[in-house]
Every structure is written in structure tokens, then in C-alpha cells.
Amino acid sequence: MEHALSPAALSELRRPRPYPAVSVLTPTHRREPGNAQDRVRLRNVVAEAKRQLEHDPAITRERRADVAGHLDRALAEVDLTHSEDGLVIYAAPGEHQVWSLARPVPERVVLSDTFLTRNLVSAQAAERPFWVLSVSADRVTLWNGGADRVTEEHTGGFPLVRSRPNFDAERMQRTGDQPSTFRDEGARHFLRDADTAVGGVLRTHPRPLFVTGEQAALSLLDELGGVTREAVHVAHGGLSHGPPEAVWQAVRPLLDAESRRDVASITRVFDSARGHRMFAAGVDELWQNARQGRVRLLAVEENYRITVRDHGDHLVPAASGDLDAREDIVDEIVEQCLETGAAVRFVPDGTLGDMDGIAGVLRY
């Protein structure tokens, strides 16, 4: 299953496909009792996708069999033992993908000539992904960070392992054979290679970078002057072998502090925008302004969801399951704002007070 959405991956997902490009969305659960029914619910929504394929006269028998086969293969790849909050299956002639999301999605099936990507985009923005590079004298590990966890990432050549005959840094320091583990030329080359490798990852998957390691290792990275010099350094050794929870706990205080600063900054910006009449709140106002490209900054409470329907030129509340209901309007607004260059921030529930869960600063 896929988790990390890069700009290149998003561009590939958005390209037109031969009809039908099938998008299957279903909510999932991380723990009991909700996850007990996830497998049944997933099978039912895939069955609904096949039913729609069967009853669409625009789809030939051969193409229907092709896409249905890819839906079956995608279903077999789903690992619900590591469920997050949503699951998306894409299937089209000759291909399929499975995406796990750390944000709920509405249950739906869409047949079109493109895949439905707005829920992926919104989930990625909400997750605020980051990288953690854990360095030691003999191993450098890259961790993929999200809303509440890190997992080891095997990309860009990571993990990097340095093989040295009879390598025993503690013995060498005790006997004086090596004044510092990170001062020999081999260590410099090793960390320079790590800096180059993570620089390549950042070019294709740009996001904030944290570097953990002993202070001596961090000082050497400063001297080398590469991309790791500009990262946030965390003086905590022993994390290149994990476990993931220890890495998460090492960077969590910095993430929490950054989140608090972000919320305080957004509150000040909104107060100023109100005074200059460049402020909007609620899904109806934000949807209209987002379509016009007027939103400069959008803030959304993390668990804010609302179902609406079109009522003339406005959106009004609707019941989930209504024929013309738009159950993921918040994700639509997020995607539209990102498409027009707006900054998007997800904030803790209750942060926006009387702003109806979603608010923005306008460009004009």
C-alpha cells in the first residue's frame, strides 16, 4: 500500500486514463471495535464498483474484465492490520494502486476518465509529512514521518551501512586509537554520502528534515555544509537502528512546539484579516472564494467534516447519503486552494472558535 504522495506521483495519478478509471474510497479504523467490520465493508464497496462496471454500456466486455481483475488484485494487496483512517483503491485498464490515508474519506465509487485525488491531497496536507535522518558511525537510516508516527523508508539508497573490519568504536576510544568516531576520513566520506543521498530524496519529495545523532556527528554535518546543515538537529544518538517509536518521541517535542507557534501565528493573521475585510469562514464562503483563486491562507480544524449540497449559488447542509450530497467538500476546498497556490494549515479541533471549523485569508 502507498502512503507518501510526491508531486510526481500526484501528477501521474491525475493524468487522463482510458475509461473507466475507477476510484474506490472507504473509511477504515486503526483499532477495535471499528476495524472489525473494515474487511466486510471493503469487499462490499469493491463489489459495488464491479456492479457499476457491469451495468455501464459504455464499457466493453474485455475492458470490464481487465478493470475488475485489477480491483481483485488491489483488494488482495490491502493489509488492514496496519489500517489508518481511510483507504483508496484506483483501478483502470492495465493498472491498479492502493493508498492508505491518515484522514477519513467518505465511502464512494467513482467511474471517470481520471482518478479522484482530492482526498489524497487533503490527507497529505493534514499529515504535514517530514523526514528524519538518524546518523551513527556505521549506519544512516531515513524515517518517513507523519501525524503520529515514523516508519523506516527504503528509498534513495537508505539505509546506508558502513562496513569496517573489526569496527569497535568504544574500544578505539578507550585505547586512544581514534580520538573521535566522527573525525577519521572514512566517517567524513560516509556522512557526506548520506548528505548527498538525502538531498536527492528531498528534491523529489520535499518536506522538513530532522537529523538525529550524537553531537559529534551533527557537528561534522555542519562542517560538510550540505542539505543536512540546514535541517533541524536533534542531539540524540542511538536511533539509526530504531525502534520507530523512539525516533518519534525524539522529534515529537519539536513538532508540538512548531504546531503551537503555527496556531498562534494563524490566529494573529486572522485577526488582522478581519480588520482589513480580507477574511472568510465557513464552507460556503470558502468554496466560492477558492474557485476564484482568492484564498491566500486556509486553516481547517483536523476533524472537521460536513456534508452539503448545491442550492443555487450556495452550499447548504445535507444528510449523508443524499443523492446530490457532497460528502468531501472540505477536501475539495483544500485541493482547490492548493491548486491556486494557497498555504493550507490543519489545526487542532476548537482552535477556530466561531469560524465554523474552516477559515481563510483572502488575496483581495
Side-chain angles (χ1 to χ4, degrees):
M1 295 194 296
E2 304 286 345
H3 297 266
L5 183 65
S6 68
L10 180 59
S11 177
E12 167 61 19
L13 284 172
R14 284 177 165 167
R15 69 172 175 82
R17 259 81 178 173
Y19 186 82
V22 181
S23 302
V24 177
L25 289 73
T26 184
T28 52
H29 303 82
R30 296 174 185 252
R31 55 188 64 88
E32 295 180 344
N35 61 10
Q37 295 299 315
D38 283 352
R39 174 63 63 181
V40 173
R41 189 170 188 173
L42 177 58
R43 286 175 177 164
N44 288 342
V45 73
V46 169
E48 170 60 20
K50 290 182 178 180
R51 189 193 68 79
Q52 292 190 27
L53 289 172
E54 187 69 29
H55 290 85
D56 191 330
I59 304 172
T60 64
R61 179 182 300 177
E62 292 76 16
R63 185 160 288 182
R64 183 182 301 118
D66 183 1
V67 176
H70 279 284
L71 284 171
D72 287 336
R73 286 191 281 277
L75 185 60
E77 292 173 11
V78 173
D79 180 8
L80 290 176
T81 59
H82 301 289
S83 291
E84 295 181 279
D85 301 308
L87 189 75
V88 179
I89 291 176
Y90 295 129
E95 62 174 317
H96 67 271
Q97 295 186 36
V98 180
W99 288 80
S100 178
L101 309 182
R103 182 169 168 81
V105 298
E107 183 172 296
R108 67 189 310 181
V109 174
V110 178
L111 274 62
S112 183
D113 57 359
T114 58
F115 291 138
L116 183 69
T117 61
R118 58 176 173 256
N119 304 95
L120 264 70
V121 172
S122 182
Q124 185 80 351
E127 183 138 330
R128 301 180 70 176
F130 58 90
W131 297 116
V132 181
L133 192 73
S134 294
V135 301
S136 65
D138 61 342
R139 182 183 175 92
V140 178
T141 305
L142 183 66
W143 305 92
N144 184 353
D148 57 2
R149 76 207 182 287
V150 299
T151 56
E152 186 173 352
E153 183 75 13
H154 296 275
T155 191
F158 289 102
L160 302 183
V161 179
R162 181 186 180 200
S163 299
R164 296 181 62 187
N166 302 317
F167 179 62
D168 187 342
E170 291 185 2
R171 182 192 65 77
M172 297 173 97
Q173 290 181 39
R174 285 198 306 271
T175 60
D177 292 341
Q178 178 174 302
S180 170
T181 305
F182 297 99
R183 286 299 172 187
D184 71 286
E185 195 59 28
R188 295 180 68 87
H189 283 299
F190 183 56
L191 292 194
R192 185 179 290 113
D193 289 344
D195 183 276
T196 300
V198 77
V201 172
L202 289 172
R203 280 191 294 275
T204 55
H205 297 80
R207 59 175 75 170
L209 173 67
F210 297 86
V211 181
T212 73
E214 298 176 22
Q215 187 56 56
L218 301 180
S219 298
L220 178 53
L221 289 172
D222 271 341
E223 290 179 22
L224 295 175
V227 296
T228 50
R229 183 178 184 178
E230 307 303 321
V232 177
H233 287 188
V234 182
H236 191 312
L239 297 178
S240 60
H241 290 274
E245 179 62 21
V247 179
W248 165 246
Q249 294 299 334
V251 299
R252 182 176 182 177
L254 291 99
L255 295 168
D256 290 344
E258 181 183 355
S259 179
R260 289 191 295 270
R261 289 193 298 269
D262 209 13
V263 168
S265 174
I266 288 171
T267 301
R268 290 193 298 270
V269 170
F270 281 167
D271 287 343
S272 175
R274 286 179 189 268
H276 291 87
R277 297 184 179 180
M278 299 180 69
F279 174 80
V283 290
D284 187 38
E285 284 189 31
L286 265 304
W287 176 234
Q288 294 182 49
N289 285 289
R291 286 184 297 172
Q292 297 168 14
R294 296 183 62 197
V295 181
R296 177 169 63 86
L297 169 66
L298 179 74
V300 185
E301 292 186 353
E302 290 169 350
N303 293 299
Y304 177 62
R305 317 289 296 184
I306 186 172
T307 300
V308 299
R309 60 181 174 83
D310 293 300
H311 183 70
D313 294 331
H314 296 277
L315 301 176
V316 297
S320 179
D322 284 357
L323 185 61
D324 56 351
R326 300 170 72 167
E327 298 192 31
D328 51 357
I329 187 62
V330 174
D331 289 355
E332 291 188 55
I333 293 171
V334 169
E335 183 182 48
Q336 185 63 39
C337 287
L338 289 170
E339 284 289 309
T340 54
V344 175
R345 300 287 183 269
F346 283 80
V347 298
D349 294 345
T351 298
L352 300 181
D354 62 351
M355 304 177 205
D356 296 326
I358 185 169
V361 177
L362 306 182
R363 293 190 170 101
Y364 58 91

